[in-house]
Amino acid sequence: SEKIVEIQPIGTDSGIIVWQWRAWDHLVQDADSTKPNYGVVAEHPELLDLNLGTLSNSQSDWLHFNGLDYNEELDQLMVSCHNLDEFYIIDHSTTMEEAAGHTGGNSGMGGDLMYRWGNPQNYGRGTSDDRKLFQQHNAHWIADDAGEIMLFNNGVGRPGTDYSSVEVLTLPPMVGANYQLETDSAYLPKEQDWIYTANPLSSFFSLVMGGAQRLPNGNTLICNATSGKFIEVDSLGNDLWKYVNPIDLNGNTPQGDQPFQNSCFRVTWLPPDYAGFDGQVLTPGEPLELNPDNYICPTIPTSVSNIQVNTESVIYPNPFHHAF
């Protein structure tokens, strides 16, 4: 099973658990009335159906959480569940004891699921036709004060051709401290607000891993993980910039060559004023690629305002050409 642990550091080499959430505390099952957690699955969308998924002696990976995001303003957590093709929102305002139960916290729901999206047949309120997600990664709030969610939908097992997509959806309005859910219906929305795909569809596919990030200029940075490609696209889905990870299992590769197994879990854009850079000296080093072209990259601006443009993207040729 899965759990989320919050650790308070002590010194430089230890810490204590100050909060945790366990999936095992929030179950329902409709297979055996003599066993714990028996109930009607469709009446408990806040709980995980214990009998979902495929397990065997050789496959013991039940849920496979692969992403975690924290919304400080709402004091909520978002987790991506790879094997059940959905993501969940959990109330973080609870005590550790409340997180193990069904009451307490801002939501009054304890550690039960406040919201779930991607595969409503998991809680008996939809069919395979209503399924939206296929082994997705990196579900996260685009901004703490907004209800927009972005994720990387890997598309494994998607009907028809396997292809990946980056998707944005808007959470339903909150009623009090809970996300709105009508009786006998699935959580809204029924459709995504924005979907990026490539042409042809099969040219953009990552079997595992992957992620996406909304940039300050409104564009989206995408990691096509298994091919090691990073691309920036605009709101219309136009490709504006691409970089191929030149490091593969054998080390650095010559510029222009196609690396072998150069997968990369995720790519993240950091602004020049990123707090992690404080006190650090960022000195350009040698190019990552072997036998690089003999040209000098333009200097990256030192302020975010120089990078942002209201209506157009500023693209720097090969900005990752030099290692820092």
Side-chain angles (χ1 to χ4, degrees):
S1 189
E2 303 276 8
K3 70 176 179 179
I4 303 168
V5 179
E6 180 179 348
I7 299 173
Q8 177 184 325
I10 298 177
T12 59
D13 60 357
S14 65
I16 58 173
I17 296 176
V18 296
W19 186 88
Q20 71 176 13
W21 177 93
R22 304 191 315 162
W24 210 245
D25 296 323
H26 306 280
L27 304 178
V28 64
Q29 58 88 14
D30 58 2
D32 190 337
S33 61
T34 67
K35 298 294 191 296
N37 307 303
Y38 181 76
V40 178
V41 171
E43 294 178 358
H44 294 282
E46 77 281 6
L47 301 176
L48 292 166
D49 182 355
L50 180 63
N51 295 301
L52 290 174
T54 302
L55 301 178
S56 66
N57 290 335
S58 61
Q59 170 60 32
S60 59
D61 187 7
W62 176 36
L63 298 174
H64 193 117
F65 287 178
N66 61 16
L68 176 65
D69 190 31
Y70 175 59
N71 188 312
E72 183 176 5
E73 182 166 317
L74 298 176
D75 202 8
Q76 296 172 5
L77 298 172
M78 181 177 297
V79 289
S80 170
C81 184
H82 172 279
N83 286 5
L84 300 187
D85 309 295
E86 52 184 354
F87 68 85
Y88 312 125
I89 294 180
I90 300 165
D91 189 351
H92 176 261
S93 70
T94 57
T95 64
M96 196 180 315
E97 292 75 18
E98 289 171 338
H102 312 288
T103 61
N106 294 335
S107 66
M109 299 177 64
D112 288 345
L113 306 181
M114 296 181 65
Y115 177 82
R116 62 197 300 178
W117 195 86
N119 196 5
Q121 63 185 332
N122 285 348
Y123 53 103
R125 300 198 181 187
T127 68
S128 59
D129 293 336
D130 300 307
R131 180 179 169 187
K132 301 294 186 182
L133 300 183
F134 300 85
Q135 299 187 10
Q136 78 292 332
H137 286 73
N138 193 210
H140 62 280
W141 280 276
I142 293 178
D144 276 3
D145 59 350
E148 286 189 312
I149 306 302
M150 176 176 284
L151 54 85
F152 187 95
N153 195 357
N154 292 70
V156 179
R158 194 195 300 259
T161 302
D162 283 346
Y163 66 92
S164 297
S165 54
V166 174
E167 305 179 8
V168 173
L169 59 122
T170 300
L171 295 173
M174 297 189 74
V175 178
N178 290 285
Y179 292 95
Q180 184 174 355
L181 175 64
E182 297 180 6
T183 304
D184 299 327
S185 67
Y187 278 105
L188 295 175
K190 291 186 176 181
E191 301 293 338
Q192 303 88 322
D193 298 329
W194 183 80
I195 299 177
Y196 167 82
T197 58
N199 186 17
L201 291 174
S202 59
S203 65
F204 176 50
F205 178 63
S206 186
L207 181 67
V208 294
M209 307 184 292
Q213 177 188 11
R214 179 61 48 81
L215 301 177
N217 61 7
N219 294 339
T220 300
L221 181 64
I222 301 170
C223 176
N224 189 357
T226 52
S227 64
K229 293 180 180 178
F230 314 147
I231 57 175
E232 181 179 351
V233 303
D234 63 18
S235 61
L236 299 178
N238 298 309
D239 292 0
L240 304 176
W241 173 87
K242 180 177 75 173
Y243 180 76
V244 179
N245 173 28
I247 314 299
D248 65 12
L249 291 181
N250 298 315
N252 300 52
T253 59
Q255 184 162 330
D257 284 9
Q258 177 60 49
F260 173 70
Q261 294 188 8
N262 63 330
S263 60
C264 182
F265 186 77
R266 192 174 300 163
V267 61
T268 302
W269 177 84
L270 302 174
D273 60 352
Y274 176 63
F277 295 151
D278 292 348
Q280 305 297 320
V281 178
L282 303 181
T283 303
E286 295 299 318
L288 295 174
E289 300 87 347
L290 302 177
N291 304 320
D293 290 342
N294 186 24
Y295 70 91
I296 298 175
C297 296
T299 301
I300 297 176
T302 57
S303 67
V304 177
S305 60
N306 287 339
I307 296 178
Q308 288 183 233
V309 176
N310 289 333
T311 59
E312 298 180 1
S313 300
V314 177
I315 307 302
Y316 297 96
N318 217 357
F320 295 117
H321 182 76
H322 293 282
F324 288 92

